[in-house]
């Protein structure tokens, strides 16, 4: 009996122990998805620091028993970032993994589809949102600068709300559009450049399609490359709310180089007047009243300014215009986002408010954006969705000058704004406070789609996309406040309206099939787009008073109305086929036929084909046996893309109208032709002659590239060589005067871009507590005009009064935008030197610029400096541009640094002779060989005197962040605070006080100053 009781007791104790252990263990389950909300089969799921573990099934599901000591769930998958989740007592978990930045399994968005990164045959660069959002940026343009090889982004100065110029592999058109196409969530928006409708925090990824194989699926709109933006979407099994805030203070990065001491200003002005031949009474600063405009203004003597005149007190006014005009502005940026979803419904909602103050007073920019993304699984085979973006912006103010003489006060003795005369419109404080210049825009962008899975290998997608927008510009110049007001009978007011609408329907089939070792994917579809732009301007002149400004144009003495309407359409058939054999030999064929209403009846349609091949050498056994490469892929592509980037109706003869003032009334005149720009002689150029033979520009692109990876993709290298030629250039040609017109749109000429792109990324340290990565890119592009039809040279751009000519040209054999003018050789030191150089009169005097005689009527120097001596004197296209970035993470701390540089671009600097340089001018005591003497009557010639090196290296951004531990709270998933600095310092030899990033033309006329800024930010996810 005792033995029986003992046995029973032992069994009971063992049972209780098992039951106790089972009771302490807890069964948990869940599902694992990738960053596209697709289930991941075979993902590893384990409990940290225990032996418990399992793998997900074909639907990404898992189940396992968590031991009592298990606190953290660990999920890993090849090519995805490891994720750890604190076990908080739930029975079920949904896990979304993010792709590793260099993973070959990353999904790359291309036109009308997506492919794995390892299967890309063309030249495509990808930026993930996790990479983009490490630094601060108020626009997508800023995000792209320095991030992608082959993509040059030139920002439009520091004015709030300003856009940017984006070029992919150089400019390919003379007068047509040079901007890449922007595609957002599959919807072609149009030309990139001012992407104000997109909140950078909403971006999931950006793909840049650079070669013809990648861009040809967009046909006529892909000639300048394509930028594909994918916004954030909700993920299955996830529900979260995130909030981010950014507070920014800005400073002037460069101190304006202006006269700081009125004595220096007066000394120089007197010297310039005397050198220019002024009689003593006309020398400005001698302590007398001088006629200015229709009045008289007292100009103190230099002794009076110094306080050394015994008969007069020291001049009391020394106005610091810089201090009055510039400020250290504050900016705010707030974003609130809610996203999540179930297996049937996914959603993402966001709202953003952004306000930026300019460094110039009264200059402000506000932006409100909201976005809704919804995806709904209607049936097992049908999914529908919608994406809507609303944007409102308000831009106020204008650039103000600070070079006004410091002897002038802001206000006169009566408290009114000080003016030297009735035509003195240079008081910047008066302009800031009196003028109205506000632009408000509203944009509504949306698309709806239905995706139907017809069979397991065939699907169909249809979508309707729309853009609607309105822009209103309000302007008002009070009585006699500006030259424009004076020209308009004393006061001027206007309301400018711009409305646009764009409708696009896309319909395409996608077929995916695998036969043994053969993989085939095909896309075929049709799209139709209709665009309408409508403009109107209401102008009032000579208002009764300024009380209501432009809000009551009916009170104006004279009212003028102008309006315009443009409509055009684009119809397209497109298709693409991808073939892979043994997952190592890849072929892609793409074709698109576009028909545009912009072209003549016989040339509306054009076909743009392309092809690409790739060899994944790293999949070959003889490469695998080397044990060196984790990726080695050779690829090549060739194809055609088109450009229709001109205004509609150029195939038709057009009539114009204008208002002419007879001295008492305005009369309306009608006639053939449209008034255009002015030529070098100041004559109005007449356009409007149609050309029914107009056709597409065509760009032929060849690309050869290699993608290399080492150490399981911890070190990657991408290199490309490309040649891109555009012919049948759409351009305005000067025609014979007998035609009654001056210019006409034609097709002729050819432009070439060829270059090399390099990109490298290295993950140097990847440990539990420390991660360090570096990266960079390098781009070398050579641009050349190969042909210009019957002409060898065309002048472009504005007519600059200071040199009395246009200074930029398209010349055969030279880069686009080349500078044209006289060559110089320093400063003349003696009269004999000036005469020997072929100069005469004042131009031959010591201290003047020495222009060179390099040619004549016979093509050889003739001893005279005249128009025959003008030649190519500079190239604004850089030799190369580059960037470097590094990211360091230690435990909860992170640090990122980005540098951006441009090398070898020539800039035309109209601001070259700043006060600090005039202080170094030529005098008998200082025979400068670089800066000319002071001469108020000098007539400058367009010459390389203005050309300077625009190379620079900028500390673009430095960001330091700290990720707070949130494991102790269920409410907060993550919380990061960071401090960020933008445009911290620029290393350059360019003109003191000015930024060397001046724009595509390379001309510096004094841009809005680009500020240096420091931001404090917070990102929190609930």
């Amino acid at each position: 009996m005792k033995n029986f009781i003992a046995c029973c007791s032992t069994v009971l104790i063992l049972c209780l122990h098992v039951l106790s252990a089972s009771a302490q263990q807890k069964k948990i389950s869940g599902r694992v998805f990738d960053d596209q909300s697709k289930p991941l089969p075979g993902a590893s799921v384990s409990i940290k620091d225990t032996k418990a573990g399992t793998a997900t099934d074909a639907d990404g599901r898992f189940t396992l028993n968590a031991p009592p000591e298990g606190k953290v769930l660990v999920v890993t998958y090849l090519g995805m970032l490891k994720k750890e989740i604190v076990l908080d007592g739930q029975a079920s978990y949904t896990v979304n993994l993010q792709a590793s930045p260099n993973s070959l399994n990353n999904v790359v968005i291309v036109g009308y589809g997506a492919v794995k990164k390892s299967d890309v045959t063309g030249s495509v660069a990808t930026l993930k949102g996790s990479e983009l959002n490490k630094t601060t940026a108020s626009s997508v343009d800023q995000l792209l600068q320095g991030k992608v090889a082959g993509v040059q982004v030139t920002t439009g100065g520091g004015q709030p709300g300003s856009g940017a110029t984006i070029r992919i592999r150089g400019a390919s058109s003379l007068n047509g559009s040079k901007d890449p196409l922007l595609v957002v969530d599959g919807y072609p928006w149009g030309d990139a450049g001012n992407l104000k409708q997109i909140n950078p925090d909403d971006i999931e990824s950006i793909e840049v399609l650079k070669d013809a194989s990648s861009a040809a699926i967009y046909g006529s709109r892909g000639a300048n490359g394509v930028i594909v933006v994918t916004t954030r979407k909700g993920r299955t099994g996830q529900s979260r709310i995130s909030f981010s805030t950014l507070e920014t203070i800005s400073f002037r990065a460069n101190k304006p180089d202006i006269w700081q001491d009125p004595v220096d200003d007066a000394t120089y002005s007197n010297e310039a007047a005397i050198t220019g031949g002024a009689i003593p009474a006309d020398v400005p600063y001698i302590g007398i009243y001088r006629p200015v405009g229709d009045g008289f203004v007292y100009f103190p003597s230099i002794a009076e300014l110094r306080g050394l005149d015994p008969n007069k007190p020291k001049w009391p006014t020394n106005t610091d215009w810089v201090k009055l005009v510039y400020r250290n502005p504050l900016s705010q940026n707030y974003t609130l986002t809610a996203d999540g979803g179930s297996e049937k419904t996914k959603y993402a909602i966001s709202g953003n408010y952004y306000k930026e103050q300019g460094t110039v007073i009264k200059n402000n920019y506000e932006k409100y954006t909201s976005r809704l993304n919804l995806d709904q699984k209607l049936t097992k085979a049908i999914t529908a969705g919608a994406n809507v973006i609303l944007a409102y912006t308000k831009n106020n103010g204008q650039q103000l000058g600070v070079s006004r003489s410091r002897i002038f006060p802001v206000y006169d003795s009566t408290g009114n704004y000080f003016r030297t005369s009735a035509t003195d419109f240079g008081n910047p404080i008066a302009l800031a406070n009196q003028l109205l210049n506000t632009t408000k825009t509203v944009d509504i962008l949306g698309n709806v789609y239905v995706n139907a899975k017809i069979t397991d290998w065939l699907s169909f997608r249809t979508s309707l996309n729309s853009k609607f927008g309105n822009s209103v510009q309000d302007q008002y110049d009070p009585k006699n406040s500006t030259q424009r007001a004076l020209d308009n009978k004393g006061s001027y007011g206007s309301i400018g309206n711009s409305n646009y609408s764009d409708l696009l329907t896309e319909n395409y089939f996608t077929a995916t099939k695998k036969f043994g070792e053969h993989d085939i994917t095909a896309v075929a579809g049709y799209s139709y787009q209709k665009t309408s732009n409508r403009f109107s301007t209401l102008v009032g002149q000579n208002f009764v008073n300024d009380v209501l400004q432009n809000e009551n144009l009916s009170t104006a003495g004279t009212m003028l109305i102008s309006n315009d309407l443009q409509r055009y359409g684009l119809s397209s058939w497109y298709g693409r086929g991808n073939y892979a054999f043994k997952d190592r030999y890849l072929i892609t064929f793409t074709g698109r036929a576009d028909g545009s209403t912009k072209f003549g009846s016989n040339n509306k349609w054009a076909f743009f084909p392309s092809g690409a091949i790739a060899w994944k050498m790293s999949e070959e056994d003889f490469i695998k046996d080397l044990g060196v490469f984790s990726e080695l892929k050779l690829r090549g592509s060739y194809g055609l893309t088109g450009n229709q980037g001109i205004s509609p109706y150029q195939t038709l003869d057009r009539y114009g109208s204008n208002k002419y003032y007879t001295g008492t009334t305005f009369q309306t005149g009608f006639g053939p032709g449209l008034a255009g720009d002015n030529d070098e002689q100041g004559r109005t150029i007449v356009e409007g002659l149609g050309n029914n033979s107009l056709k597409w520009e065509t760009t032929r692109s060849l690309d050869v590239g290699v993608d290399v990876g080492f150490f399981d993709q911890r070190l990657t290298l991408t290199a490309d060589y490309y040649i891109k030629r555009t012919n049948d250039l759409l351009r305005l040609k000067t025609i014979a005067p007998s035609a009654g017109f001056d210019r006409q749109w034609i097709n002729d000429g050819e432009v070439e871009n060829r270059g090399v792109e390099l990109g490298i990324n290295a993950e140097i340290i990847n440990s539990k507590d420390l991660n360090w990565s570096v990266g960079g890119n390098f781009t070398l592009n050579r641009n050349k005009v190969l042909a210009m039809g019957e002409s060898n040279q065309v002048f472009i751009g504005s007519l600059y009064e200071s040199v009395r000519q246009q200074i930029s040209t398209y010349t055969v054999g030279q880069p686009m935008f080349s500078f044209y003018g006289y060559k110089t050789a320093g400063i003349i030191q003696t009269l004999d030197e000036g005469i020997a150089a072929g100069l005469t009169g004042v131009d031959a005097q010591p201290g003047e610029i020495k222009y060179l005689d390099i040619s004549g009527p016979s093509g050889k120097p003739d001893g005279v400096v005249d128009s025959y001596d003008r030649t190519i004197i500079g190239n604004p296209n850089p030799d190369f541009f580059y960037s470097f970035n590094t990211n360091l993470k230690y435990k909860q701390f992170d640090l990122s640094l980005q540098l951006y540089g441009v090398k070898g671009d020539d800039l035309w600097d109209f601001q070259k002779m700043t006060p600090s340089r005039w202080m170094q001018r030529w005098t008998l005591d200082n025979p400068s060989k670089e800066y000319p003497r002071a001469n108020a009557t000098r007539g400058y010639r367009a010459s390389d005197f203005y050309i300077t090196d625009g190379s620079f290296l900028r500390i673009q951004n430095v960001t330091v962040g700290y990720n707070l531990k949130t494991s102790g709270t269920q409410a907060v998933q993550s919380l990061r605070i960071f401090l960020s600095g933008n445009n911290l310092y620029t290393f350059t030899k360019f003109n003191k006080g000015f930024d060397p990033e001046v724009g595509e033309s390379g001309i510096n006329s004094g841009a809005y100053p680009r500020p240096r800024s420091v931001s404090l930010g917070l990102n929190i996810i609930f």
Side-chain angles (χ1 to χ4, degrees):
M1 178 63 74
K2 290 181 179 180
N3 291 335
F4 176 75
I5 293 174
C7 289
C8 290
S9 299
T10 301
V11 172
L12 180 60
I13 291 172
L14 289 174
C15 291
L16 290 173
H17 179 73
V18 171
L19 290 172
S20 175
S22 298
Q24 293 181 47
Q25 287 188 336
K26 183 177 181 180
K27 180 182 287 187
I28 61 174
S29 62
R31 204 172 181 191
V32 180
F33 298 90
D34 65 7
D35 52 5
Q36 302 297 316
S37 293
K38 297 178 180 178
L40 288 176
S44 175
V45 182
S46 61
I47 306 298
K48 192 173 184 178
D49 299 327
T50 73
K51 295 182 180 180
T54 185
T56 58
D57 61 17
D59 294 322
R61 301 182 187 278
F62 68 89
T63 302
L64 79 162
N65 292 320
E69 65 272 20
K71 303 296 183 183
V72 178
L73 184 71
V74 181
V75 183
T76 60
Y77 189 82
L78 181 64
M80 311 296 283
L81 295 175
K82 180 176 70 173
K83 189 163 189 177
E84 295 187 355
I85 301 174
V86 176
L87 296 174
D88 55 5
Q90 297 183 51
S92 180
Y93 294 86
T94 299
V95 183
N96 293 94
L97 298 183
Q98 297 292 318
S100 177
N102 294 321
S103 171
L104 295 175
N105 291 317
N106 281 356
V107 174
V108 176
I109 306 298
V110 294
Y112 306 101
V115 297
K116 288 193 303 182
K117 182 179 179 181
S118 60
D119 291 341
V120 172
T121 56
S123 181
V124 180
T126 300
L127 296 170
K128 294 296 184 183
S130 55
E131 304 170 58
L132 296 171
N133 294 326
K134 288 179 180 177
T135 59
T136 60
S138 60
S139 70
V140 179
D141 311 318
Q142 296 176 13
L143 285 177
L144 283 174
Q145 190 174 53
K147 296 291 199 309
V148 179
V151 179
Q152 186 176 18
V153 179
T154 306
T155 57
Q159 186 165 5
S162 60
T165 299
I166 302 176
R167 297 289 178 261
I168 298 177
R169 294 183 169 180
S172 299
S173 183
L174 299 184
N175 298 126
S177 173
K178 305 175 185 67
D179 299 317
L181 173 69
L182 174 68
V183 178
V184 180
D185 292 328
Y187 176 19
W189 274 18
D191 291 348
N194 188 6
L195 314 182
K196 61 180 181 296
Q197 299 95 342
I198 304 175
N199 176 18
D201 287 343
D202 285 337
I203 295 176
E204 181 72 32
S205 69
I206 297 177
E207 272 80 17
V208 181
L209 315 182
K210 296 185 284 186
D211 68 329
S213 174
S214 305
I217 193 70
Y218 291 105
S220 65
R221 293 172 294 184
N224 301 311
V226 181
I227 299 173
V228 180
V229 176
T230 303
T231 59
R232 297 184 186 277
K233 296 176 173 59
R235 294 189 175 95
T236 302
Q238 175 180 282
S239 180
R240 65 178 187 175
I241 297 175
S242 59
F243 175 73
S244 65
T245 178
L246 193 67
E247 306 291 331
T248 302
I249 184 171
S250 300
F251 311 88
R252 292 192 313 273
N254 304 291
K255 186 176 182 179
D257 192 352
I258 60 175
W259 293 110
Q260 302 295 326
D261 187 342
V263 173
D264 293 334
D265 187 3
T267 302
Y268 162 76
S269 298
N270 285 355
E271 183 182 326
I274 295 171
T275 304
I279 62 175
D282 286 339
V283 176
Y285 290 91
I286 56 176
I288 64 173
Y289 280 91
R290 291 177 43 77
V292 176
D294 56 356
F296 288 86
V297 177
Y298 184 80
F299 285 81
S301 66
I302 293 177
E304 191 176 349
L305 289 171
R306 293 183 183 275
L308 301 178
D309 189 332
N311 300 316
K312 298 178 182 178
K314 183 177 181 180
W315 186 255
T317 305
N318 186 2
T319 306
D320 188 345
W321 296 107
V322 172
K323 185 177 181 179
L324 294 174
V325 170
Y326 290 126
R327 60 184 174 181
N328 293 332
L330 298 174
S331 301
Q332 299 88 38
N333 194 351
Y334 307 104
T335 299
L336 180 64
T337 303
D339 57 47
S342 62
E343 293 188 20
K344 287 191 174 183
T345 304
K346 291 182 290 184
Y347 67 91
I349 306 171
S350 70
N352 171 257
Y353 172 70
Y354 175 73
K355 181 177 181 180
E356 180 182 4
Q357 290 183 332
T359 55
V360 173
I361 59 173
K362 303 293 185 177
N363 194 187
N364 303 294
Y365 177 76
E366 282 186 282
K367 179 174 69 172
Y368 300 81
T369 60
S370 60
R371 184 178 67 92
L372 168 64
N373 180 277
L374 182 65
D375 296 281
Q376 178 67 43
K377 194 169 185 179
L378 302 178
T379 69
K380 187 176 181 180
I382 299 177
T383 303
N387 190 28
V388 179
I389 296 176
L390 304 177
Y392 169 81
T393 64
K394 179 181 178 181
N395 204 333
N396 179 69
Q398 58 277 314
Q399 185 170 356
L400 301 172
V402 293
S403 58
R404 186 173 175 84
S405 175
R406 296 172 70 109
I407 71 167
F408 298 146
V410 178
Y411 304 98
D412 60 22
S413 58
T414 64
N416 295 317
Y417 291 112
F418 177 82
R419 300 168 68 179
T420 60
S421 69
T423 56
D424 173 18
F425 306 121
N427 188 327
I429 307 304
L431 294 175
N433 293 330
Q434 289 184 319
L435 304 189
L436 171 67
N437 184 21
T438 301
T439 301
K440 301 175 184 178
T441 63
V442 177
D443 297 287
I444 305 174
L445 307 99
N447 61 68
V448 292
Y449 79 89
V450 175
N451 193 81
K453 193 170 183 63
I454 301 172
T455 68
D456 59 350
W457 58 270
L458 180 65
S459 64
F460 173 74
R461 183 183 178 97
T462 181
S463 65
L464 178 63
N465 312 273
S466 63
K467 286 173 58 180
F468 299 95
N470 173 254
S471 176
V472 178
Q473 183 177 31
D474 293 293
Q475 293 185 318
Y476 190 79
D477 299 357
K479 286 188 178 299
N480 301 323
S481 61
T482 64
Q483 187 64 50
R484 180 171 64 176
L486 192 65
D487 293 341
N488 287 273
K489 303 180 182 180
S491 53
Y492 172 90
S494 69
I495 300 175
N497 281 278
S498 173
N499 294 277
Y500 74 86
S501 66
D502 186 278
L503 294 174
L504 169 68
T505 178
E506 297 272 12
N507 307 273
Y508 61 92
F509 290 92
T510 301
T512 303
K513 199 73 173 177
K514 184 171 184 177
F515 305 93
E517 295 181 321
H518 306 271
D519 284 280
I520 299 175
T521 300
V523 174
Y526 170 78
S527 71
Y528 178 75
Q529 185 171 14
K530 183 177 181 180
T531 303
S532 176
N533 297 316
R534 193 166 194 172
F535 314 94
S536 64
T537 303
L538 309 176
V539 174
Q541 301 171 330
N542 189 22
F543 286 79
V544 175
N545 57 55
D546 300 322
V547 175
L548 296 177
Q549 297 185 316
N550 70 333
E551 291 299 330
N552 193 355
L553 294 178
S554 62
T555 64
T558 302
M559 290 175 285
L560 303 175
I561 300 174
S562 64
N563 65 298
D564 188 20
L565 174 64
Q566 295 180 350
R567 290 175 178 166
Y568 50 94
L570 181 69
S571 183
S572 308
W573 297 91
Y574 52 87
R576 179 180 58 227
N578 295 85
Y579 169 73
F581 177 61
K582 292 186 176 180
D583 194 30
R584 67 190 67 172
Y585 310 111
L586 311 173
I587 300 175
T588 300
F589 289 105
T590 305
R592 182 167 179 132
D594 280 326
S596 174
T597 61
K598 292 184 178 181
F599 298 118
S601 56
N602 297 324
N603 297 303
K604 292 188 182 298
W605 285 89
F607 180 63
F608 305 104
S610 75
I613 57 175
W615 178 21
K616 296 163 68 172
M617 298 177 64
S618 52
E619 297 299 316
E620 303 288 356
D621 291 338
F622 70 92
I623 297 294
K624 290 181 178 180
D625 292 342
L626 297 176
V628 176
F629 302 99
S630 54
E631 179 188 23
L632 179 59
K633 180 171 66 175
L634 297 178
R635 47 185 171 77
S637 68
Y638 180 81
L640 281 65
T641 51
N643 193 339
Q644 58 153 348
I646 61 173
S647 299
Y649 314 126
Q650 304 304 324
T651 61
L652 307 175
D653 294 337
R654 280 151 292 147
Y655 281 71
S657 65
N658 210 338
K659 296 283 186 179
Y660 298 92
Y661 189 59
T662 63
T664 56
T665 60
F666 274 91
Q667 300 292 331
T668 302
F670 295 91
L674 300 172
D677 300 326
N678 294 333
D679 60 14
E680 286 192 47
Q681 289 73 42
R683 187 175 62 89
T684 300
I685 297 173
V686 179
E687 302 172 3
L689 180 61
N691 179 2
N692 195 44
S693 298
L694 276 183
K695 58 183 178 181
W696 303 82
E697 280 186 359
T698 303
T699 299
R700 292 170 169 81
S701 300
L702 171 69
D703 182 276
V704 179
V706 58
D707 301 321
V708 186
F710 304 93
F711 314 117
D712 194 24
Q713 295 302 101
R714 290 183 60 178
L715 174 63
T716 60
L717 171 69
T718 297
D720 283 87
Y721 172 75
Y722 62 87
I723 301 176
K724 188 170 67 167
R725 289 181 179 174
T726 305
N727 57 10
D728 292 328
L729 294 172
L730 289 163
R731 72 177 185 91
L732 280 167
K733 178 184 178 181
T734 300
I735 58 179
S738 59
F741 296 82
D742 296 305
R743 297 193 303 194
Q744 180 188 32
W745 280 96
I746 63 169
N747 290 99
D748 73 4
E750 186 173 3
V751 170
E752 178 187 84
N753 286 276
R754 63 172 63 206
V756 175
E757 299 170 354
L758 298 174
I760 187 170
N761 288 282
E763 195 174 5
I764 299 175
I765 299 175
N766 184 4
S767 64
K768 178 182 178 181
D769 292 330
L770 180 63
N771 297 86
W772 180 31
S773 64
V774 297
N777 61 68
F778 170 89
T779 302
L780 181 153
N781 183 76
R782 294 293 177 264
N783 175 275
K784 184 187 292 187
V785 178
L786 300 180
M788 291 287 292
E790 300 174 357
S791 175
N792 286 325
Q793 185 179 65
V794 174
F795 286 95
I796 61 172
S798 300
L799 177 72
Y800 290 93
E801 293 296 335
S802 58
V803 294
R804 300 181 301 280
Q805 72 173 82
Q806 293 170 290
I807 61 176
S808 301
T809 76
Y810 294 147
T811 301
V812 174
Q814 299 293 330
M816 296 171 63
F817 308 107
S818 291
F819 297 129
Y820 194 78
Y822 294 91
K823 290 188 175 182
T824 64
I827 306 301
I828 298 171
Q829 300 300 317
T830 66
L831 179 60
D832 290 341
E833 180 185 356
I835 294 174
L839 297 165
T840 60
V842 174
D843 289 346
Q845 295 294 318
E848 294 299 316
I849 299 170
K850 185 178 180 180
Y851 300 101
L852 296 182
D853 170 31
I854 63 173
S855 187
S858 64
K860 297 180 180 179
D862 59 355
V864 179
V865 178
D866 55 20
S867 60
Y868 289 104
D869 298 302
R870 293 165 62 190
T871 186
I872 299 296
I873 56 175
N875 175 16
N877 300 282
D879 292 339
F880 59 86
F881 54 94
Y882 58 97
S883 71
F884 169 82
N885 65 81
T886 184
N887 294 280
L888 180 68
K889 184 177 180 181
Y890 176 70
K891 293 186 177 179
Q892 278 74 50
F893 288 95
D894 61 81
L895 168 68
S896 66
L897 166 69
Q898 183 185 358
L899 307 178
Y900 174 68
V902 173
K903 177 66 177 176
D905 58 325
D906 294 325
L907 300 185
W908 189 292
D909 187 11
F910 275 118
Q911 307 292 322
K912 179 173 183 176
M913 294 312 295
T914 55
S916 66
R917 290 179 172 177
W918 278 123
M919 295 291 287
Q920 306 172 57
R921 64 190 178 274
W922 186 95
T923 64
L924 291 174
D925 297 328
N926 180 46
S928 171
K929 296 182 179 180
E930 186 175 3
Y931 303 115
R933 63 179 179 168
N935 185 352
T937 59
R938 175 184 295 113
Y940 287 95
R941 306 189 192 197
S943 71
D944 61 7
F945 171 76
Y946 294 99
I947 303 297
T948 186
D949 183 11
S951 302
F952 68 88
L953 173 63
R954 175 179 295 133
I955 302 177
Q956 188 96 329
N957 179 271
V958 177
T959 300
V960 180
Y962 181 76
N963 294 274
L964 278 73
K965 293 183 178 181
T966 59
S967 56
T969 174
Q970 295 183 5
V972 179
Q973 297 183 34
S974 68
L975 192 155
R976 177 175 179 260
I977 58 174
F978 62 92
L979 185 67
S980 182
N982 279 320
N983 188 29
L984 294 180
Y985 191 80
T986 301
F987 301 91
T988 183
K989 295 181 180 179
F990 187 61
N991 196 345
K992 175 185 176 182
F994 296 95
D995 194 302
E997 190 177 343
V998 300
E1000 184 179 37
S1001 68
I1003 299 173
N1004 174 43
S1005 299
Y1008 194 105
R1010 181 178 287 104
R1012 177 180 296 127
S1013 63
V1014 178
S1015 304
L1016 179 63
L1018 169 69
N1019 296 330
I1020 184 169
I1021 299 177
F1022 300 96

